[in-house]
Amino acid sequence: MSDTIEKIKCLIIGSGPAGYTAAIYAARADLKPVMYTGMQMGGQLTTTTEVDNFPGYPNGTDGTAMMEDLKNQAERFGTEVRFGLVTSVDLSSEVGGVHKITVDETKQIEAQTVIISTGATAKYLGLESEQRLIGGGVSACATCDGFFYRNQDVVVVGAGDTAAEEATYLANICKKVTVLVRKDYMRASKAMQHRVNKTKNLEVKYNTEIDEVLGDKVVEGVRVFNNITGEKEVIDVTGLFVAIGHKPNTDIFKGILEMDDTGYLITKGKSTKTNLPGVFAAGDVQDKEYRQAVTAAGTGCMAALDAERYLGALD
């Protein structure tokens, strides 16, 4: 453990659109922010090949390039971006209190404000072929990537409201959507199930799981099996959308910050304030509803403004 304790005004944990936008605003407010990127610098968007729905890119861009643009902009205003992982926290419950952070289990930091933008990790099936083709036809976000599969055949895996929403969204774009449900029923609300059943180009296969995602560099199909009969078949598709949920990256905050049953941080009203003073949450770590880069960036802006106002009220 390091004996040297670094004291800073604003610590940002996480480096996706929320974290970088918070950094831009915090730096411009002279909060001299320090960011720790986490193990995936740039967050989930670095696993996305093409980004066409973020304002300011009329010809589109790719996720890694966009995150590099945001990083460069944050650094231009003085943000210190560091590669490292926050491994433990000791957050104060006092207004004006000092928040103690440990990075990589050794470095000690004391921060007046903390902005948490650690995001959420999409859950995948865990197949080797699926992991290999993420960004090559395998996606966990229909709103993000559905456009690229216009007039094509795709598969959605999942049984809840998210899967139903993604399937009906894709049905407006794609030629045919096949939903694969592991059990003999959907967990989605009745209203969403009715919407699925009324969509003509949408087929639901129950008791069906994926055995392998087919294709070398891009998805060319999926081999599925009926988990009751064992019968296998190949479905020719160009896209696989996995909609089995997300896990917010909040494990180190459990028992410290208020969160819902699934681990998303709870913020107060329309602010980014958590239950502890001087601690703010932005992006997918507190948003399980929209989960878009642009909404994450918006809450990153809010978090920096909330942090600036919090510090201003202490003077």
Side-chain angles (χ1 to χ4, degrees), residues 77-88:
F77 294 114
T79 301
E80 188 171 343
V81 179
R82 302 173 181 172
F83 183 77
L85 183 68
V86 171
T87 48
S88 66

Side-chain angles (χ1 to χ4, degrees), residues 181-185 205-209 225-228:
V181 178
R182 186 165 53 91
K183 297 184 178 180
D184 60 357
Y185 63 91
K205 287 182 176 289
Y206 294 98
N207 297 117
T208 303
E209 299 181 51
F225 66 95
N226 184 293
N227 55 29
I228 293 183

Side-chain angles (χ1 to χ4, degrees), residues 113-162:
T113 60
V114 177
I115 295 174
I116 300 166
S117 55
T118 49
T121 303
K123 295 179 182 177
Y124 285 95
L125 302 172
L127 300 170
E128 184 280 328
S129 54
E130 168 205 48
Q131 295 298 303
R132 177 170 51 82
L133 290 169
I134 290 175
V138 175
S139 170
C141 180
T143 313
C144 309
D145 300 326
F147 174 82
F148 303 113
Y149 301 90
R150 185 175 295 276
N151 298 321
Q152 299 175 46
D153 294 348
V154 300
V155 158
V156 174
V157 178
D161 276 351
T162 298

Side-chain angles (χ1 to χ4, degrees), residues 142-297:
T143 313
C144 309
D145 300 326
F147 174 82
F148 303 113
Y149 301 90
R150 185 175 295 276
N151 298 321
Q152 299 175 46
D153 294 348
V154 300
V155 158
V156 174
V157 178
D161 276 351
T162 298
E165 288 172 5
E166 298 226 327
T168 51
Y169 172 84
L170 289 165
N172 291 322
I173 301 171
C174 301
K175 184 179 177 182
K176 182 181 179 181
V177 178
T178 304
V179 181
L180 306 181
V181 178
R182 186 165 53 91
K183 297 184 178 180
D184 60 357
Y185 63 91
M186 291 193 76
R187 292 182 291 101
S189 63
K190 293 298 182 184
M192 288 306 304
Q193 290 188 52
H194 291 323
R195 191 186 302 179
V196 166
N197 293 332
K198 288 192 298 183
T199 305
K200 292 181 179 180
N201 61 333
L202 198 160
E203 178 187 1
V204 181
K205 287 182 176 289
Y206 294 98
N207 297 117
T208 303
E209 299 181 51
I210 292 181
D211 181 53
E212 187 175 3
V213 185
L214 306 175
D216 182 16
K217 294 184 178 180
V218 296
V219 172
E220 297 174 3
V222 292
R223 185 170 65 235
V224 302
F225 66 95
N226 184 293
N227 55 29
I228 293 183
T229 66
E231 182 181 354
K232 294 186 177 183
E233 68 171 309
V234 171
I235 305 174
D236 294 325
V237 292
T238 53
L240 165 61
F241 292 86
V242 183
I244 57 176
H246 286 72
K247 182 184 183 301
N249 302 318
T250 56
D251 286 352
I252 63 170
F253 305 110
K254 284 183 178 176
I256 302 170
L257 294 176
E258 287 183 359
M259 53 185 74
D260 68 11
D261 293 341
T262 53
Y264 286 90
L265 296 181
I266 295 172
T267 50
K268 297 179 180 179
K270 294 183 178 180
S271 77
T272 62
K273 299 174 184 176
T274 68
N275 59 299
L276 294 183
V279 180
F280 310 92
D284 288 10
V285 76
Q286 53 85 53
D287 172 25
K288 59 183 176 182
E289 186 69 29
Y290 300 104
R291 294 197 300 263
Q292 298 298 301
V294 69
T295 52

Side-chain angles (χ1 to χ4, degrees), residues 2-48:
S2 171
D3 294 329
T4 305
I5 298 176
E6 183 179 12
K7 301 179 186 295
I8 61 176
K9 278 187 180 181
C10 180
L11 174 69
I12 300 171
I13 307 174
S15 57
Y20 281 133
T21 305
I24 291 166
Y25 275 80
R28 285 170 60 86
D30 202 27
L31 301 189
K32 298 179 175 56
V34 172
M35 169 188 285
Y36 277 93
T37 63
M39 300 311 291
Q40 187 177 32
M41 184 181 289
Q44 285 188 82
L45 268 189
T46 58
T47 65
T48 302

